Amino acid sequence: MASGADLRLVGVTKRFGAFTAVDDLTLTVPRGSFFALLGASGCGKTTTLRMIAGLEEPTAGQVLLGDRDVTPLRPYKRPVNTVFQSYALFPHLSISDNVAFGLRRRGVKQHADQVEQMLRLVEMEGFGRRKPSQLSGGQQQRVALARALINRPQVLLLDEPLGALDLKLRRQMQVELKRIQTEVGITFVHVTHDQEEAMTMADTVAVMNAGRIEQLGAPVDMYDFPGTAFVANFLGQSNLFAAEVRGRNGGDVLVEAYGTRYTVPSARARAEDGTVWLGVRPEKMHLSTGEVPSGHQSVSGLVTDSSYMGVSTQYLVRAPWGEELTVFVPNSGVAAPLAVASEVTVHWRPEHAFLLPRPAGETHAPVADSEEVAA
């Protein structure tokens, strides 16, 4: 792989009139990685992708592949290909001719072996003579991927590529896309609003919010220890308590939330003074109708709702201060389901909590609108 395959954005800004879609964005996508831009509709992720592809011109900043500034280059002069949600296959051409289209435009005449190789890569061998209308949505998406990869781009851009597929097929294609990326070693930049999709496939995830990168990192690190309240509630769910730091005790930060004292290890604190969010993921919380294990921290409450979700049951528990906590309980068959109106104690281990900065006076954590996330 050539050293120029790294993608870098330096101070990239895009304005549409008075609206700033992308705001002074600087990031580096490692060579050969699977990189996801994750965010709700309107956050700037698709505009960013279009600037990388050359379909939009930045208002300011540079787009570089390695040390080469490609900002002024037209789309067809960039070593970048894009796979769209709509597939964009030519209906009148066979599958083989669709895949070979880019090679023919470049004047490559002997392309049959390359086409077969690509169809084999995406597990579509034997389909070369068919037309797109004879394929399922998932098969068409594989063909669109083969057509993009046959040109051996330095960077492959994927714009919500699985959005039109049903849930089962989408999950299957997530695994396939990651397998293909690992096999070909090309840098993939994947734009999506689907948190599960980003976490399943990407080596690195960048969560975008209002044209900026809210947090960037490995999916497991960002989920386990989010950097902001927005990320905590966008990448999965979090229970966030409005709290205030009251001091230190050895390696722990002491906080108070709604009249109760809690401790959080300092290694799990992104803020250690003033007003903070005390956060715990729903699956790290437990429910008890009896004694709480030694060393656990707790809140008493009342079950207000339960939703069976297959592998787990989601319980909503109203805390004494009126907010509802979300708790995921595995359906292991060990304990009987809890009825609505049951009095329970929600408890967790201190090392499973985290502290995040909280603006003074803010008592409700910011979170993307659910309709936006699903858009």
Side-chain angles (χ1 to χ4, degrees):
M1 179 73 59
S3 61
D6 295 322
L7 170 66
R8 290 191 294 144
L9 305 182
V10 182
V12 170
T13 296
K14 180 62 179 180
R15 298 188 187 92
F16 297 96
F19 175 69
T20 302
V22 178
D23 190 6
D24 193 24
L25 182 62
T26 296
L27 63 83
T28 299
V29 178
R31 179 173 65 248
S33 68
F34 201 126
F35 188 95
L37 275 174
L38 173 67
S41 298
C43 73
K45 61 187 186 300
T46 296
T47 301
T48 300
L49 197 80
R50 289 176 62 82
M51 287 190 287
I52 297 169
L55 302 173
E56 294 282 358
E57 184 178 350
T59 306
Q62 294 176 294
V63 178
L64 300 101
L65 287 173
D67 296 323
R68 183 187 180 194
D69 184 359
V70 299
T71 314
L73 298 183
R74 301 291 295 275
Y76 64 88
K77 290 190 175 181
R78 301 186 183 199
V80 172
N81 271 30
T82 307
V83 176
F84 298 99
Q85 180 179 330
S86 61
Y87 317 138
L89 300 178
F90 300 109
H92 61 288
L93 296 181
S94 68
I95 298 309
S96 290
D97 287 341
N98 264 282
V99 174
F101 184 78
L103 296 180
R104 284 179 168 169
R105 286 191 64 181
R106 287 162 39 205
V108 178
K109 294 183 179 179
Q110 302 298 323
H111 50 65
D113 289 345
Q114 293 184 62
V115 169
E116 282 302 311
Q117 180 186 358
M118 280 298 143
L119 289 177
R120 192 159 48 248
L121 176 69
V122 299
E123 298 183 349
M124 287 295 291
E125 61 266 52
F127 287 81
R129 293 186 178 181
R130 298 193 189 185
K131 295 290 180 66
S133 61
Q134 297 173 291
L135 304 183
S136 68
Q139 290 172 329
Q140 289 186 49
Q141 189 58 276
R142 290 170 186 264
V143 174
L145 189 63
R147 184 179 62 181
L149 288 172
I150 201 168
N151 294 313
R152 296 290 175 183
Q154 288 186 359
V155 176
L156 183 69
L157 307 177
L158 301 124
D159 187 9
E160 303 273 10
L162 310 182
L165 305 179
D166 62 52
L167 180 61
K168 184 176 181 180
L169 187 53
R170 189 159 68 242
R171 287 177 173 167
Q172 179 186 339
M173 283 300 298
Q174 289 169 8
V175 175
E176 284 300 300
L177 271 176
K178 182 58 181 174
R179 174 190 65 79
I180 291 166
Q181 190 275 330
T182 302
E183 191 167 330
V184 298
I186 291 172
T187 303
F188 279 26
V189 177
H190 179 206
V191 159
T192 182
H193 64 263
D194 188 318
Q195 303 99 341
E196 179 187 319
E197 194 168 287
M199 294 181 69
T200 298
M201 295 190 291
D203 306 312
T204 305
V205 175
V207 176
M208 288 193 73
N209 181 28
R212 291 177 173 269
I213 299 296
E214 190 88 4
Q215 188 179 356
L216 183 151
V220 63
D221 296 335
M222 292 175 63
Y223 184 86
D224 186 56
F225 191 17
T228 68
F230 179 88
V231 173
N233 264 333
F234 189 81
L235 204 64
Q237 294 176 251
S238 292
N239 295 294
L240 299 177
F241 305 173
E244 294 187 13
V245 175
R246 297 303 189 197
R248 297 283 298 262
N249 181 19
D252 293 332
V253 180
L254 307 178
V255 300
E256 183 177 336
Y258 308 104
T260 302
R261 293 291 183 101
Y262 301 98
T263 62
V264 178
S266 57
R268 301 278 296 165
R270 296 199 184 273
E272 297 191 24
D273 53 50
T275 56
V276 294
W277 293 112
L278 167 63
V280 189
R281 293 287 190 183
E283 69 275 8
K284 298 296 178 65
M285 285 182 157
H286 309 278
L287 294 181
S288 174
T289 55
E291 292 187 6
V292 171
S294 175
H296 282 218
Q297 300 182 357
S298 63
V299 174
S300 61
L302 197 70
V303 174
T304 59
D305 185 70
S306 67
S307 300
Y308 181 79
M309 303 173 68
V311 296
S312 65
T313 296
Q314 174 185 281
Y315 289 97
L316 298 183
V317 179
R318 181 174 292 117
W321 57 89
E323 292 186 16
E324 288 183 322
L325 307 179
T326 302
V327 183
F328 296 152
V329 177
N331 290 324
S332 60
V334 175
L338 292 167
V340 170
S342 298
E343 293 184 1
V344 296
T345 301
V346 180
H347 58 95
W348 63 91
R349 295 170 59 166
E351 61 267 30
H352 288 160
F354 50 83
L355 293 181
L356 304 176
R358 175 173 68 93
E362 189 174 273
T363 58
H364 291 87
V367 59
D369 182 80
S370 59
E371 290 186 2
E372 273 197 312
V373 175

